[in-house]
């Protein structure tokens, strides 16, 4: 049972374009939704996170859009750069102090 | 250091041997998590420590896996009688405490069981 479904598995975007990664969840008890960025050989790094009481959160070129009724959330990377090439994971947790449930990851490649 | 540190960075062992993986959380972080990252399985939760409370062991895949946390800081994950399917990257994360969601990950230990 996959509690957090992430798509696409891989994504190729031109430099300057918009990268969009989608996630869907089933458990309505989830109330924290972070995105992590992982480079090869490194641990995941927290990128941006959102709670279900807001529909959008923006930090620099990164935006999370959240649709509570559809149980979906997405990461948008504006003006994508080659340095953004990495694997991105969405995740969810029920409350503070509980484990993160991760999506399978999306490998993003930004071509110059 | 400022971040979560893990050692060793790489570990190669033979099937049937025991291994110990170490995690040093961020100073002041009372919550500590272990996850496993393997091809095709993504990131899976293993165990969670919060202060002096009993750990949440619900993610441990078998009784060959155990973990301890001494003095509320450093944690050691032990895998006994390693199997080839244990090959993965073992990641440690820490958080400020029970009221904080944000988890910060270390670089991981890549375990290869031959």
């Amino acid at each position: 049972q996959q509690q957090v479904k992430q798509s696409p598995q891989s994504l190729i975007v031109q430099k300057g374009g918009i990268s969009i990664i989608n996630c869907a969840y089933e458990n309505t008890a989830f109330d924290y939704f972070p995105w992590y960025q992982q480079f090869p050989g490194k641990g995941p790094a927290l990128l941006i996170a959102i709670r279900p009481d807001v529909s959008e959160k923006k930090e620099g070129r990164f935006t999370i859009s959240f649709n509570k009724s559809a149980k979906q959330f997405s990461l948008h990377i504006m003006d994508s750069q080659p340095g953004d090439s990495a694997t991105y994971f969405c995740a969810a947790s029920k409350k503070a102090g509980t484990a993160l449930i991760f999506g399978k990851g999306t490998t993003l490649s930004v071509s110059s | 250091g400022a971040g979560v540190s893990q050692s060793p960075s790489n570990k190669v062992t033979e099937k049937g041997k025991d291994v110990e993986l170490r995690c040093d959380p961020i100073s002041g972080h009372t919550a500590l998590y272990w996850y496993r990252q393997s091809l095709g399985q993504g990131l899976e939760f293993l165990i969670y420590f919060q202060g002096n409370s009993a750990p949440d062991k619900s993610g441990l895949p078998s009784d060959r896996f155990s973990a301890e946390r001494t003095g509320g800081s450093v944690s050691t994950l032990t895998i006994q009688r390693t199997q080839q399917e244990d090959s993965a990257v073992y990641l440690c994360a820490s958080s400020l405490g029970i009221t904080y969601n944000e988890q910060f990950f270390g670089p991981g230990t890549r375990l290869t069981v031959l």
Side-chain angles (χ1 to χ4, degrees):
Chain A
Q1 179 187 359
Q2 192 178 346
Q3 296 194 56
V4 178
K5 295 183 180 180
Q6 183 172 345
S7 63
Q9 187 173 0
S10 62
L11 182 61
I12 299 174
V13 173
Q14 295 272 3
K15 179 181 176 182
I18 303 173
S19 304
I20 302 174
I21 305 170
N22 300 297
C23 281
Y25 64 97
E26 290 295 324
N27 194 332
T28 55
F30 289 146
D31 76 347
Y32 173 71
F33 303 88
W35 284 90
Y36 282 83
Q37 178 189 57
Q38 186 177 32
F39 293 104
K42 306 291 185 182
L46 180 61
L47 197 58
I48 187 173
I50 198 167
R51 295 189 182 277
D53 53 345
V54 297
S55 60
E56 186 174 282
K57 183 175 181 180
K58 183 177 181 179
E59 290 184 3
R61 296 185 294 109
F62 301 92
T63 300
I64 299 179
S65 297
F66 188 86
N67 186 328
K68 188 173 181 178
S69 61
K71 293 186 285 186
Q72 296 176 345
F73 58 109
S74 60
L75 176 69
H76 296 235
I77 306 174
M78 311 301 286
D79 187 27
S80 298
Q81 299 297 312
D84 297 329
S85 298
T87 300
Y88 292 81
F89 293 92
C90 63
S93 68
K94 292 180 185 178
K95 60 178 182 177
T98 60
L100 289 167
I101 309 299
F102 284 87
K104 295 288 189 184
T106 296
T107 302
L108 171 65
S109 178
V110 181
S111 61
S112 54
Chain B
V4 177
S5 60
Q6 293 185 245
S7 61
S9 55
N10 282 282
K11 177 71 176 179
V12 180
T13 191
E14 294 180 346
K15 178 181 173 182
K17 300 278 189 178
D18 297 352
V19 295
E20 287 188 350
L21 312 180
R22 177 188 168 105
C23 172
D24 280 275
I26 294 172
S27 178
H29 281 197
T30 61
L32 187 149
Y33 304 78
W34 283 97
Y35 293 85
R36 177 170 69 175
Q37 185 173 25
S38 51
L39 285 175
Q41 295 298 319
L43 280 141
E44 303 171 285
F45 165 72
L46 296 176
I47 188 168
Y48 160 59
F49 295 90
Q50 170 54 50
N52 296 320
S53 302
D56 175 0
K57 304 179 182 179
S58 61
L60 294 178
S62 79
D63 58 8
R64 296 186 296 105
F65 288 73
S66 63
E68 63 178 21
R69 189 177 185 194
T70 54
S73 181
V74 172
S75 177
T76 302
L77 177 69
T78 301
I79 309 173
Q80 295 179 309
R81 305 181 303 282
T82 52
Q83 304 294 312
Q84 288 184 332
E85 60 263 29
D86 299 334
S87 296
V89 176
Y90 289 82
L91 291 159
C92 175
S94 71
S95 175
L96 265 172
I98 198 167
T99 59
Y100 293 87
N101 287 100
E102 293 81 4
Q103 297 181 25
F104 300 92
F105 283 81
T109 293
R110 180 174 295 279
L111 175 65
T112 303
V113 182
L114 301 177

